[in-house]
């Protein structure tokens, strides 16, 4: 089972990364593959109630790869963590097959959730771009794309594209979604307007005094 999962991870990495020269290179040098392979062993020990050993393996994998995956996280075969530095995957997170995760991604909790679902579920075929934060017990639907640097706090329907902070859906099944959010205030523009009003007020007082 372990080698079958490793083979699926390597095959998906070869398919997803145009820079990959060979499967042998991926197996030897890709930190995402190393982190996932060690996670699967740690997850086995965790399910066997050897939690301390699982935690030690997880921390050692983080030291080697810069990728932190809780040993209880459920990650399917055929997942690719590209580059991987700074990736964090929480305890109750679920990642299905065909998911592509870039560096700096966090699948974490909000600190307010409790119970069995504190971390997100990432459905099949999703792409999570670099620096994205998906927080809480939410679900990202099949084949959705999360833009770089986005912060997602709500469920995402399948085949969606999400961008921004907080994340908002801009496309569903390739069609644009109208932005119904109210116009955001520009704090810099507000400050300039306030200063302009103050200058006008002072100029008026000076003009009155000189008359």
């Amino acid at each position: 089972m372990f080698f079958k999962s490793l083979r699926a991870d390597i095959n998906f990495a070869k398919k997803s990364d145009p820079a990959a020269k060979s499967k042998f290179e991926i197996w030897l040098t890709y930190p995402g593959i190393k982190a996932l392979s060690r996670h699967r062993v740690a997850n086995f020990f965790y399910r066997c109630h050897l939690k301390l050993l699982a935690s030690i393996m997880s921390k050692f994998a983080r030291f080697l790869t810069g990728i932190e995956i809780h040993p209880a996280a459920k990650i399917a075969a055929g997942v690719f963590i590209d580059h991987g530095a700074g990736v964090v995957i929480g305890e109750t997170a679920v990642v299905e097959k065909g998911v592509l995760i870039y560096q700096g991604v966090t699948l974490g909790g909000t600190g307010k959730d409790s119970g069995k679902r504190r971390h997100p579920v990432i459905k099949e075929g999703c792409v999570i771009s670099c620096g994205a934060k998906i927080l809480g017990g939410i679900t990202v639907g099949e084949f959705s794309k999360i833009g770089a640097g986005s912060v997602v706090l709500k469920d995402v329907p399948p085949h969606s594209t999400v961008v921004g902070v907080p994340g908002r859906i801009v496309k569903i099944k390739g069609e644009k979604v109208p932005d119904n959010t109210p116009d955001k205030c520009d704090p810099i523009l507000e400050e300039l307007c306030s200063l302009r009003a103050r200058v006008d007020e002072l100029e008026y007082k000076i003009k009155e005094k000189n008359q």
Side-chain angles (χ1 to χ4, degrees):
M1 189 67 182
F2 170 79
F3 292 106
K4 183 178 179 182
S5 298
L6 178 61
R7 191 180 301 113
D9 292 340
I10 292 172
N11 287 338
F12 185 59
K14 182 70 167 63
K15 177 182 176 182
S16 302
D17 187 4
K21 301 297 186 296
S22 68
K23 294 179 181 180
F24 188 65
E25 177 196 16
I26 292 170
W27 177 61
L28 281 179
T29 65
Y30 277 41
I33 297 299
K34 295 178 183 295
L36 286 172
S37 62
R38 285 167 174 78
H39 166 71
R40 300 193 199 288
V41 177
N43 181 255
F44 171 78
F45 287 126
Y46 190 90
R47 288 185 285 109
C48 292
H49 304 289
L50 299 171
K51 295 183 179 180
L52 177 59
L53 181 57
S55 181
I56 291 170
M57 291 199 65
S58 174
K59 297 301 184 288
F60 183 64
R62 181 184 67 177
F63 172 76
L64 290 177
T65 65
I67 299 168
E68 182 170 355
I69 307 174
H70 193 283
K74 297 177 181 178
I75 302 179
V79 169
F80 180 36
I81 301 176
D82 195 3
H83 299 292
V87 169
V88 177
I89 300 178
E91 179 183 6
T92 61
V94 178
V95 181
E96 296 187 355
K97 67 177 183 178
V99 172
L100 177 56
I101 298 173
Y102 287 94
Q103 68 271 20
V105 166
T106 299
L107 306 182
T110 61
K112 300 176 181 179
D113 300 314
S114 59
K116 295 181 179 179
R117 272 286 302 280
R118 304 190 312 277
H119 301 93
V121 174
I122 312 299
K123 292 289 189 177
E124 178 183 353
C126 290
V127 176
I128 316 296
S129 299
C130 57
K133 313 298 178 187
I134 305 175
L135 307 176
I138 62 176
T139 299
V140 179
E142 293 86 349
F143 301 100
S144 291
K145 297 178 181 178
I146 309 300
S150 300
V151 178
V152 183
L153 303 171
K154 296 180 180 179
D155 288 341
V156 176
H159 301 276
S160 299
T161 301
V162 176
V163 299
V165 181
R168 67 184 190 280
I169 300 169
V170 295
K171 284 185 181 181
I172 297 179
K173 295 183 178 179
E175 296 185 3
K176 288 186 177 179
V177 175
D179 186 2
N180 295 322
T181 57
D183 293 337
K184 295 181 179 178
C185 296
D186 186 340
I188 297 176
L189 181 60
E190 284 188 347
E191 187 67 22
L192 288 173
C193 290
S194 176
L195 289 171
R196 178 66 184 180
R198 181 62 176 162
V199 168
D200 289 343
E201 180 184 349
L202 291 172
E203 285 180 346
Y204 179 75
K205 288 182 178 180
I206 293 170
K207 185 177 179 181
E208 274 193 336
K209 189 176 181 179
N210 292 333
Q211 284 180 351

